[in-house]
Every structure is written in structure tokens, then in C-alpha cells.
Amino acid sequence: MIKKKVYVYKGFERFWHWMQALLIFFLAFTGFEIHGSYTFFGYRDAVRYHNIAAYMFIVLIAFAIFWHFTTGEWRQYYPSFKNIAAQLNYYIFGIFKNAPHPTKKTVLSKLNPLQKLTYFGLKVVIIPTLVITGLLYMFYRYSNSGIIESLDISSLKLIATIHVIAAFFMVSFVITHIYLITTGEKVTTNLKAMLTGYEELEEPEDEANITLNTKLD
Amino acid sequence: MKKIILILAFLALLVVIAIGSLSEPDTEASALTKLKEKYSKKEKPLVDHSKFAILQQKFPSAQAATKACETCHNKAAEQVMASNHWNWEREEYVKGRGVIYLGKRNAINNFCIGTKGNEQSCAKCHIGYGMTSSGKVYTDSLNIDCLVCHDNTETYVKAPEKAGYPAATLNLNNIAQSVGKPKNSNCGVCHFYGGGGNNVKHGDLESALFDATKDLDVHMAVDGMNLQCIDCHTTTHHNISGKVYSLSSMSHNRNTCEQCHTSTPHDDEILNEHTLKVACQTCHIPTYAKANATKMYWDWSTAGRLKNGQPYSEEDSMGNHAYMSIKGSFIWQRNVTPDYLWFNGTASHYLEGDIIQDTTKPLILNPLHGSYADDESKIIPVKIHLAKQPFDPVNKILIIPKLFAEDKGEGAFWKDFDWQSAAKIGMEESHLPYSGKISFIKTEMLWPINHMVAPKENSLQCNSCHTRENSRLAGLNDFYMPGRDYSKIVEEGGIWIIIITLIGVFIHGSGRIYVRLKSGKGDKK
């Protein structure tokens, strides 16, 4: 089979990914300080930075949603249960026997079924939960300054607890994610692809040379 | 080339926006600067009292001076006689009890307990002369002590145990000619010494405020704004605003920081939001009794010990009384961290004759009402004064003992050191039943802390409260506070999710490394 360098991750996609990574790390770090897990920036600055980063994250999400819908890339995350057993089987057994990846990565289908499912959950459950509870957290009892009178919630407890639960899942995701990117062809293959945008993929037989690899050669 | 120009233009725009949004507008003077300007203009008096002939004639008595005052100020007596300072009681509404008349006349505290029967001594801090237990004093306008509040020579003092009359050595003419608006010294001479000594009662009102530094009290500092009591405790028609909840029940005629500083005084929105639930005092008075110690505990049960038949006293390391035969044992503290409570401006009170429902628990003499759920409530700092004081275990009521008398043998505790006779006579004079049995019960009094505001650099920081360990608000558990509170289940569950993830990664990763090493060896073979 022939392998060719293919432009998989577009410029915005990579910017979005790394910006998101940075913000999630920063939000988690400041967030758990606010949660009382440790002291680093000091409480007041931790809150201030967390809030600024949160707004940046929301802006980034708005751009990402726009990008996904205008490019049709959102379809990449549409979960499919096809091959899910094969993919699980690969991670549990195949990977130790140097078996090949069960699903082929192409420009039109970058994600394996497990990734699809995980990222779908992340984008539809975890991140919206964090954003919504985060906004409620921020605007909770703001009625004093007359901005949002109707958000008169009698206790922060539920909001904060859900925010923290989602945050723990996010941390768990990040750890798993960082580990699983090492399961490419080589340990650094996936990392390189997300940095440069290019990855060596098996040329799909029925697909014409729509990629940039000819230029590169 | 075009592209470069475009990019440069875009960057320039970004810089302009950044500078515009990051720099703070400084064209308008801050609210605080305006306040400072307003209060640095000191008022000049309209009249010079030393020029009035009526104040130059010899005063044969204190009442003669009052008469001279009232000759011109002919409506003042009416106003004074309607005031709390004169009547030692005011109309208060207490939920569940209705309208009551409450004040020093009938309230019970856990310091010297009550004024009934002890008027001659207690009147040292009444704005009148000749106080007796009959109450006649309250009806004669010539008994008003104008000078104690309006003396501006800072020499006027009342004689101890003389029913409120001034010290005999004073030159009343000099004093009467000096009169003006009350200064800190006029108010302080009583309010700093409540309970029988400097800073005994309040903890935040004491003689060091006569000559305050900014660190002690940022408002009253003589090298700062040098505010006088009445600058905040504004007064109309001799009715002075502000009160303390040892003797008050209703949320009216209160003094607040907001009356000058507004409810949104900070530049930081998040801090301004706090003012909805947190009183200014909570963050801005980190400690009280900053100069001299205040009394935290008073144990009447040890009173009455004599050495060779004589009363005696002992001092603690700070030079305060640790024991007095007439009063019992004390604990004093300096630089005290306040306790914190929800408070909505209303309080109830133990009144004379009230049956104590549960004598096994400490009795709170003035419970302050409030909770997180109550919209009117804010967190305030308080001094909690603990005591062990006499009560009648049969009738289950607090005892008002006869403490003061001129001579031995009248049954007063401070002369005869006999609890039985002091209780019997005291209760008789208070028209309360006494079973003949005396015991001691633990009581608490709550004193909201409002003075000794620190410079803003010394106010509490976020993590004074928003912290898991040693939060100042550790005792207030009816709400969720970020940084302090967390769900135990979520916390443990979350940590386990992370641990299991890490273990999974570790096992999976080691497996891959092992396989790779093994296959590498295989290749070599």
C-alpha cells in the first residue's frame, strides 16, 4: 500500500485545537485553585484569570461552531457504532500484537469510532455542562447590580457541584487523550500531524488526488 | 506590500482597542476623594458662648448651669427628654413578644448585670443628675446634664457613685463657656468605658481612639480624617443615629457604612457583589481590641473571695484585672479575631423575669436574627462575651443582684460579699420572685463590631474565608462558599476517576513498552 503525505488538519482546526488545549489547561489549573485544591496564584487572581480564560474559551467555541458548520466538518463527530467493537478490541489486544489499526484514517473520516463517540460526548455533554454551569456560577446573584434579575438562584451548591463533576471528567479525558495520541504509527506521529497539519496516510484507492501531496513531491 | 499594510493596520487597531479597554478612566475624582474633601472642611461655630453674661455668673449647682443653658435653648430639654440617652429605654418591637420598652433601665447583661438598685453607681454614665431607683430623675428638665456631651474643654467628668453629678473640683463656668458640638472625647468618656473600665464591653470602642492612628481606626485617626463620632452618628433634634444590639431590637435608625460609601464602593465588580451578603465590617475590621484588651469572659461565681477579710484583686500579664473580689474572674484578649454571624438588623432579648427554657445550654441574652436564606441578612463580625452569672435554679430566671450601696450592712454584694442578701434585695428592688436558691449559668452576649476599621491594605483577603482550612466563616454552614465547601462524594469520586485513568494509562503504556522491547529482542535474534 502506498503512503502519501496528506493535509489532514486545516489551519483553523490546529489553531482551535491548541488554543483549546491551552485554555483547558489554564482553566483547570485556576479552577481547581478556586475549588480549594491548592494555592498558586492566590484566590483573587485565580478567580480573575479563570473568568477571563472562560470568556476566551466561549469566544473560541463560537468560532469553532461556525467553522464546523460552514465547512461541514461537524459530520466528523457524528457518532457511529460501526466497528466500535473492532476498535476496542484493537486497544485492548491488537495494539500489543502490532496488529494494524482497524479503521482507516482519511481526510473525510479522521476519527475512529471510539474517538467519534468520545469527542461527541465531550462537545455535547462535558463542555456545554462546564460552560453553562460556569456562566450560572459567574452571574449567580448578580441581581444586586441589576444585570440579570431573573437569575436569582438560592444556592450555588448545585451549580458548583456539577461544574466540578464535569471538570473531573475533563481532566480524566485530557490524561487519556494525551496518552492515546502516542498510539499512532510512531509515538509522535499524531502530535506531528496536529502541529503541522500533514500526516502520512494510506492512499484511498477510489479517491482522486485531491490532496496536496503532489505539490509536496 | 498591500498585505503588510493591512496586517499593520489590523495590529494598530488591536493595540488601540487594548489600550482603550485596559486603562482605567481617571478623569473623574473617585468617590473616596470626594468624601475626604467633604469631611476635611470643619465647621466653624456661629456663636462664642464665653461672651454670654449668663454663663459668667457663678453656678451654685450643676442644675444651675443647666438652667442657664435652657434659658436660651428653650426647646432642647424637650428633645433631650425624648431621647434614649435620657430615658435609658426606647420603644422596640420584638417578633413574638410585641412592643416592649427596652434599655439600660430594664435590660440584663452579662457584665454588671443590671442597673436596678445600682442607679447611684450606674448614673456615672447617664446624661442627668441625681438618679435614684425611684425614677423621679427622668421628669425634671433641670436634671439634664448638658455639659457631659457639649463640654469642649475636655475636662468635664462625673464623680463616681454620685448619681451622675460632676466632680466637685470642676470650673463649670469655663466648661459652660466652651460648649459646642460633641467631640470624640464627650462620647468616649462613657462609651469607651462601659462595663466598668476601658474597652470592657464593646471591644471596638476604647480610650485609644481618643488619639487613634490610621492602623487603629482609619476614620478617627488624628493624623488622618480625624472624624468625630457625630460625623457618622448624625443627629437631629438630639436624636442620635446608630445603636448597639445589646439594647436594640429593630432595624431602624441604624448607622451604616453605606451612608457615605454606597453599597458598591469597590472598583472590582466581584467585590461589589459581596456587599449583598457580607457587611463591610466583616472584611474591613479584621481584628478588634487592637490597642487595649477587651473582656471576653466574666465569671461571677468566683466573686466574694476575701484575703484577711478584705477584698482584693489580681492582674493578668497585660495589667488587666484577672480577679476582683467584687466581680469575680475575667479573661481579657487583645487583637481578637471576631466571630461571624448572619444578621438582618433585628434582635430579641432576655428581659428581667423571663423563664430560661433550657438551663443546661449557654443562654444567649441578645440573639441576633438572620440566615443566608433571609434577603435582609448579611454576615457581620461580632464579639461574643461569655459569662457565668447568678440565676435562680428554682424559678429559672436570672438574678439581678444588689451590687452597690454606700455602706456595709445594706446587703450590697460589693460591700458585704454575701450572694444571698445581694440576690434577695436585688430581686426585691426589681419586683421579681426569688426562691432563696442561687446558682450560676453560662450566658453569652453578642456585640456587633463596627469600629476600628482598618486601612484598606489591611482588610481581609479572599482566602481568609475562601479556604478549606481555618476559614473565618467556618462556623456559617447554611450556604455553599467556593474554596471552602465541596461535595465529599464528588471530591472522592473525582480523585478516583483520575487515579483509575492514570492506572489505566500506566498499565496500557507498560504493556506496549514491554511488547516493543520483547519484539525488539526478537528482531536481534
Side-chain angles (χ1 to χ4, degrees):
Chain A
M1 241 178 278
I2 316 148
K3 287 200 169 175
K4 291 224 163 145
K5 259 197 166 175
V6 183
Y7 191 47
V8 186
Y9 302 111
K10 311 286 186 298
F12 175 79
E13 212 171 2
R14 281 176 286 143
F15 165 76
W16 165 56
H17 173 271
W18 289 113
M19 202 60 202
Q20 180 167 257
L22 194 76
L23 286 172
I24 286 175
F25 268 106
F26 190 72
L27 283 164
F29 190 69
T30 49
F32 278 98
E33 174 163 8
I34 297 167
H35 184 53
S37 304
Y38 45 80
T39 307
F40 183 81
F41 288 113
Y43 199 85
R44 189 173 176 182
D45 284 336
V47 171
R48 199 180 289 161
Y49 298 154
H50 193 77
N51 287 357
I52 293 169
Y55 282 122
M56 289 169 74
F57 192 45
I58 289 169
V59 170
L60 186 69
I61 288 171
F63 274 91
I65 289 174
F66 179 78
W67 183 82
H68 275 90
F69 280 99
T70 50
T71 58
E73 284 285 313
W74 62 273
R75 290 189 189 87
Q76 300 267 7
Y77 301 91
Y78 195 78
S80 106
F81 293 92
K82 224 173 104 185
N83 288 333
I84 208 156
Q87 190 65 35
L88 262 177
N89 194 51
Y90 168 76
Y91 280 130
I92 297 169
F93 305 108
I95 197 167
F96 299 113
K97 297 173 191 159
N98 287 327
H101 277 270
T103 41
K104 287 205 173 64
K105 189 170 183 175
T106 67
V107 176
L108 291 178
S109 176
K110 298 171 198 170
L111 306 172
N112 73 46
L114 263 183
Q115 280 177 308
K116 279 186 184 178
L117 198 65
T118 310
Y119 296 164
F120 185 76
L122 198 68
K123 290 179 162 200
V124 171
V125 182
I126 302 293
I127 290 176
T129 305
L130 282 166
V131 170
I132 291 165
T133 54
L135 285 171
L136 286 173
Y137 210 128
M138 268 194 232
F139 290 104
Y140 160 77
R141 270 291 180 186
Y142 231 89
S143 54
N144 189 31
S145 44
I147 293 174
I148 301 181
E149 289 268 3
S150 54
L151 278 184
D152 233 19
I153 302 153
S154 65
S155 170
L156 195 53
K157 189 170 188 176
L158 188 67
I159 298 167
T161 307
I162 295 173
H163 198 71
V164 171
I165 292 173
F168 273 120
F169 277 109
M170 181 58 103
V171 171
S172 169
F173 163 77
V174 170
I175 295 168
T176 315
H177 180 69
I178 290 171
Y179 171 68
L180 284 179
I181 63 160
T182 67
T183 61
E185 183 90 355
K186 281 189 250 163
V187 170
T188 55
T189 307
N190 287 327
L191 181 63
K192 246 184 214 162
M194 191 49 88
L195 283 168
T196 62
Y198 289 98
E199 189 172 357
E200 285 195 345
L201 296 181
E202 287 167 13
E203 186 77 344
E205 280 146 31
D206 53 347
E207 221 171 295
N209 273 354
I210 51 163
T211 53
L212 294 170
N213 59 339
T214 43
K215 272 185 200 168
L216 284 164
D217 295 339
Chain B
M1 194 59 203
K2 247 185 183 176
K3 252 189 185 173
I4 293 170
I5 292 169
L6 266 177
I7 289 169
L8 281 176
F10 182 69
L11 283 177
L13 187 69
L14 271 186
V15 170
V16 170
I17 292 170
I19 291 171
S21 57
L22 289 176
S23 64
E24 281 171 25
D26 49 4
T27 45
E28 216 177 314
S30 76
L32 201 60
T33 314
K34 284 181 185 163
L35 269 180
K36 281 182 181 169
E37 246 168 54
K38 183 179 166 194
Y39 281 92
S40 57
K41 287 174 198 144
K42 296 290 176 199
E43 224 177 294
K44 289 207 176 92
L46 292 170
V47 289
D48 180 354
H49 282 85
S50 66
K51 300 281 190 279
F52 294 127
I54 195 170
L55 299 179
Q56 288 159 1
Q57 62 178 357
K58 200 88 201 117
F59 296 132
S61 67
Q63 275 96 342
T66 303
K67 195 170 182 182
C69 300
E70 289 174 2
T71 308
C72 294
H73 299 277
N74 55 11
K75 294 297 271 181
E78 201 179 295
Q79 293 175 5
V80 171
M81 290 169 85
S83 73
N84 316 319
H85 272 95
W86 175 256
N87 287 314
W88 268 13
E89 69 175 16
R90 63 185 139 213
E91 199 177 75
E92 296 275 347
Y93 171 79
V94 181
K95 210 178 162 192
R97 203 191 263 276
V99 173
I100 56 168
Y101 290 86
L102 178 67
K104 286 190 186 295
R105 267 202 228 194
N106 59 354
I108 294 185
N109 64 40
N110 64 3
F111 295 85
C112 287
I113 301 176
T115 59
K116 285 238 170 98
N118 305 307
E119 284 86 351
Q120 271 218 297
S121 173
C122 297
K124 194 178 181 228
C125 283
H126 182 243
I127 57 159
Y129 305 128
M131 188 187 258
T132 59
S133 42
S134 73
K136 201 181 160 212
V137 61
Y138 297 113
T139 55
D140 182 358
S141 74
L142 288 184
N143 278 332
I144 295 172
D145 185 348
C146 308
L147 301 178
V148 70
C149 298
H150 292 284
D151 161 42
N152 277 183
T153 64
E154 303 196 355
T155 57
Y156 185 90
V157 281
K158 282 168 174 276
E161 301 170 358
K162 287 285 180 286
Y165 283 104
T169 54
L170 294 174
N171 182 337
L172 293 183
N173 286 96
N174 267 350
I175 292 166
Q177 288 168 27
S178 81
V179 291
K181 282 193 170 179
K183 298 200 278 190
N184 290 351
S185 52
N186 297 95
C187 309
V189 74
C190 283
H191 290 279
F192 294 170
Y193 298 94
N198 183 39
N199 209 14
V200 167
K201 269 185 181 167
H202 293 268
D204 62 339
L205 287 176
E206 61 127 326
S207 59
L209 291 170
F210 287 137
D211 196 19
T213 61
K214 279 184 183 168
D215 276 337
L216 182 68
D217 188 298
V218 78
H219 296 111
M220 293 165 82
V222 286
D223 59 338
M225 289 313 297
N226 196 16
L227 290 189
Q228 303 298 300
C229 303
I230 59 166
D231 283 330
C232 296
H233 294 274
T234 50
T235 305
T236 43
H237 309 310
H238 283 95
N239 178 25
I240 301 170
S241 67
K243 57 196 184 167
V244 72
Y245 280 87
S246 49
L247 293 171
S248 309
S249 303
M250 291 159 76
S251 183
H252 76 158
N253 201 29
R254 292 171 76 185
N255 268 132
T256 61
C257 309
E258 286 90 340
Q259 68 195 39
C260 287
H261 293 287
T262 77
S263 62
T264 52
H266 311 98
D267 290 331
D268 184 334
E269 265 306 304
I270 296 179
L271 289 183
N272 280 340
E273 252 181 278
H274 280 71
T275 61
L276 195 65
K277 287 288 183 191
V278 183
C280 310
Q281 296 91 320
T282 299
C283 300
H284 290 281
I285 311 176
T287 54
Y288 61 91
K290 287 194 279 193
N292 296 299
T294 186
K295 204 172 272 186
M296 302 302 289
Y297 179 66
W298 183 323
D299 184 356
W300 276 102
S301 71
T302 61
R305 289 177 197 151
L306 302 174
K307 269 183 187 163
N308 308 321
Q310 292 300 314
Y312 66 100
S313 62
E314 285 166 0
E315 289 186 353
D316 66 9
S317 58
M318 289 180 284
N320 299 302
H321 285 129
Y323 180 78
M324 289 172 90
S325 298
I326 58 167
K327 292 177 176 177
S329 321
F330 311 120
I331 295 172
W332 296 75
Q333 275 173 21
R334 223 163 69 89
N335 270 326
V336 193
T337 302
D339 285 274
Y340 298 93
L341 292 175
W342 286 108
F343 184 44
N344 63 12
T346 68
S348 48
H349 297 273
Y350 178 91
L351 299 180
E352 29 175 57
D354 283 353
I355 308 281
I356 303 163
Q357 300 301 332
D358 185 355
T359 54
T360 59
K361 279 194 306 196
L363 172 71
I364 301 172
L365 297 183
N366 62 329
L368 304 181
H369 303 150
S371 69
Y372 171 78
D374 174 7
D375 280 345
E376 301 294 315
S377 293
K378 291 185 184 190
I379 295 168
I380 60 154
V382 293
K383 168 189 167 178
I384 300 180
H385 182 258
L386 304 173
K388 253 172 134 177
Q389 67 190 97
F391 88 112
D392 179 336
V394 179
N395 293 323
K396 295 189 175 175
I397 57 176
L398 290 182
I399 287 172
I400 303 167
K402 173 85 174 168
L403 296 175
F404 175 80
E406 294 273 11
D407 301 302
K408 273 192 174 188
E410 291 178 38
F413 189 80
W414 288 351
K415 298 283 187 217
D416 300 329
F417 301 100
D418 176 22
W419 274 122
Q420 271 305 336
S421 63
K424 189 169 169 289
I425 297 169
M427 293 304 262
E428 253 171 40
E429 290 187 356
S430 303
H431 308 290
L432 290 169
Y434 176 53
S435 71
K437 287 239 162 58
I438 190 165
S439 181
F440 291 87
I441 185 170
K442 281 183 183 162
T443 60
E444 289 180 12
M445 262 192 107
L446 309 173
W447 293 80
I449 299 291
N450 297 306
H451 307 91
M452 294 196 179
V453 173
K456 63 180 175 186
E457 303 78 41
N458 300 342
S459 48
L460 289 190
Q461 298 300 304
C462 306
N463 63 356
S464 306
C465 299
H466 292 279
T467 176
R468 293 191 184 183
E469 308 283 323
N470 302 322
S471 166
R472 288 221 178 192
L473 300 185
L476 294 179
N477 292 309
D478 57 348
F479 68 106
Y480 181 96
M481 184 164 67
R484 178 192 70 171
D485 295 328
Y486 54 93
S487 152
K488 231 181 161 177
I489 300 168
V490 170
E491 199 70 3
E492 283 175 10
I495 288 165
W496 273 111
I497 287 173
I498 291 171
I499 289 173
I500 289 168
T501 309
L502 287 170
I503 290 173
V505 164
F506 180 75
I507 292 173
H508 200 270
S510 335
R512 279 170 59 210
I513 291 167
Y514 175 74
V515 168
R516 180 167 295 189
L517 288 177
K518 218 169 104 181
S519 64
K521 269 178 198 166
D523 285 351
K524 272 175 198 168
K525 272 178 191 173

